Amino acid sequence: MKMFKKFTVTALTAVIAVTASFAGVAAAADSLKGKITVNGSTALLPLTLQAAKEFQKLHPKVKIAASGKGSVTGPQAVKKGIADIGACDWDASIDVPGFKAFDGQVANKVAVIPFATIVNKNVGVDNLTTEQLKGIYAGKITNWKEVGGSDANIVVITRAFGSGTRVNYQAKALGGGDIVKKEKNYKETGSSGDMKTAVGTTPNAIGYIDLVYVTGGDIKAVKFNGVEANTDNVINGSYKIWAYGYYMTKGQPTGATKEFIEYVQSKKFQQGSLKKLKFIPISAMQS
């Protein structure tokens, strides 16, 4: 009986210790506080919003405000001190075609972003080559019949200058080819959401967008050089239109900002919500 009592007391002490330990962890988690402002890439916005929702459940005293106006606005907002994180579809700490490096900023890699060429549902084309896309966006190919479709003028929709999606699409889908502004059958949009709407509501339209936005019946993704736009083909190397997404910060991140970025980079988020949103974990491309 004495032994049983001793065991019971010991077990109860252990339970109390473990409970106190978990309570301590919860208290430590709840002690994190602050406000994080994220601006920039609309391609990364769905990821940021989902991560913010999950992170704020873990840390109720942290408030996260996220918006998207195009990749270049991210590091610009960080530079001006109006954002803690600048979401960008390229590493803005180095020079890239069309944009100088943002000195003093650190690029925190958070995702792999697949991009897709999209067309309106009425377009009877399901594959386009690099050369065909270059011709379409250079204004040299103007009718769908020239690329195997019906006799109809192609309506070219592109993102405005400063878009990370445009930077990557131009480099990887168009092989660095020009996007030529035309007087008719041409439109520029300011966000990924606007691109989806424009292509979906404009017969004979073509555009480009990150894969997470390819939903609904008004648009469809076409193959690129015969390869379907999906995450598996990005990972196996057969689909080439993709880029890393970054959270730019002024110097190394600290405090709640650091914790949030680390959450987005964590295995839990990368293998969970990030994959469900049709992004690709950064670890998948590091083999």
Side-chain angles (χ1 to χ4, degrees):
M1 181 64 72
K2 287 182 179 180
M3 185 178 292
F4 177 75
K5 286 183 177 179
K6 182 178 180 182
F7 175 77
T8 303
V9 171
T10 303
L12 183 60
T13 302
V15 170
I16 292 171
V18 171
T19 303
S21 175
F22 278 118
V25 170
D30 289 344
S31 69
L32 187 67
K33 58 184 178 180
K35 182 178 179 181
I36 305 169
T37 302
V38 187
N39 200 348
S41 167
T42 58
L44 283 170
L45 187 57
L47 178 151
T48 301
L49 292 173
Q50 180 60 33
K53 181 180 177 181
E54 296 177 18
F55 190 78
Q56 288 173 132
K57 282 185 178 180
L58 295 172
H59 306 285
K61 295 179 182 178
V62 177
K63 303 302 179 186
I64 303 174
S67 62
K69 295 183 179 179
S71 280
V72 75
T73 65
Q76 284 176 342
V78 171
K79 182 179 179 179
K80 294 175 183 176
I82 58 177
D84 305 291
I85 295 173
C88 193
D89 301 347
W90 70 83
D91 181 349
S93 69
I94 61 175
D95 292 345
V96 299
F99 299 94
K100 291 289 186 181
F102 285 79
D103 294 335
Q105 294 196 24
V106 173
N108 303 276
K109 192 181 291 182
V110 294
V112 176
I113 313 171
F115 300 101
T117 303
I118 57 171
V119 295
N120 183 273
K121 63 183 179 181
N122 83 315
V123 175
V125 170
D126 63 7
N127 177 67
L128 289 166
T129 67
T130 303
E131 290 305 311
Q132 288 171 332
L133 288 170
K134 286 174 72 172
I136 289 169
Y137 276 91
K140 296 177 181 178
I141 296 175
T142 59
N143 194 295
W144 282 114
K145 68 180 180 181
E146 299 176 68
V147 291
S150 59
D151 184 5
N153 290 328
I154 300 173
V155 180
V156 173
I157 302 180
T158 187
R159 290 287 303 279
F161 185 75
S163 157
T165 303
R166 173 172 172 154
V167 167
N168 286 292
Y169 190 82
Q170 194 166 354
K172 296 167 185 179
L174 307 184
D178 294 331
I179 296 178
V180 177
K181 189 172 183 177
K182 302 186 296 181
E183 291 185 6
K184 60 180 183 178
N185 295 327
Y186 177 91
K187 182 178 180 179
E188 292 186 1
T189 61
S191 70
S192 297
D194 290 345
M195 170 67 81
K196 178 181 178 180
T197 299
V199 175
T201 57
T202 307
N204 305 310
I206 184 172
Y208 50 87
I209 205 167
D210 55 305
L211 203 55
V212 66
Y213 286 92
V214 182
T215 59
D218 294 333
I219 61 172
K220 62 180 180 179
V222 300
K223 295 177 182 177
F224 176 62
N225 293 325
V227 181
E228 187 176 345
N230 62 43
T231 55
D232 288 342
N233 288 336
V234 172
I235 293 169
N236 68 33
S238 61
Y239 186 79
K240 307 297 184 181
I241 314 174
W242 63 273
Y244 285 112
Y246 298 87
Y247 280 170
M248 305 303 301
T249 56
K250 187 175 182 180
Q252 293 293 341
T254 59
T257 298
K258 178 176 182 290
E259 294 292 331
F260 176 63
I261 292 173
E262 289 180 349
Y263 179 77
V264 175
Q265 295 171 330
S266 71
K267 184 177 180 180
K268 176 186 176 182
F269 185 77
Q270 292 275 312
Q271 297 295 331
S273 297
L274 180 141
K275 289 179 71 173
K276 290 178 182 177
L277 288 169
K278 299 182 186 176
F279 292 94
I280 298 171
I282 51 181
S283 61
M285 307 304 292
Q286 294 177 347
S287 57

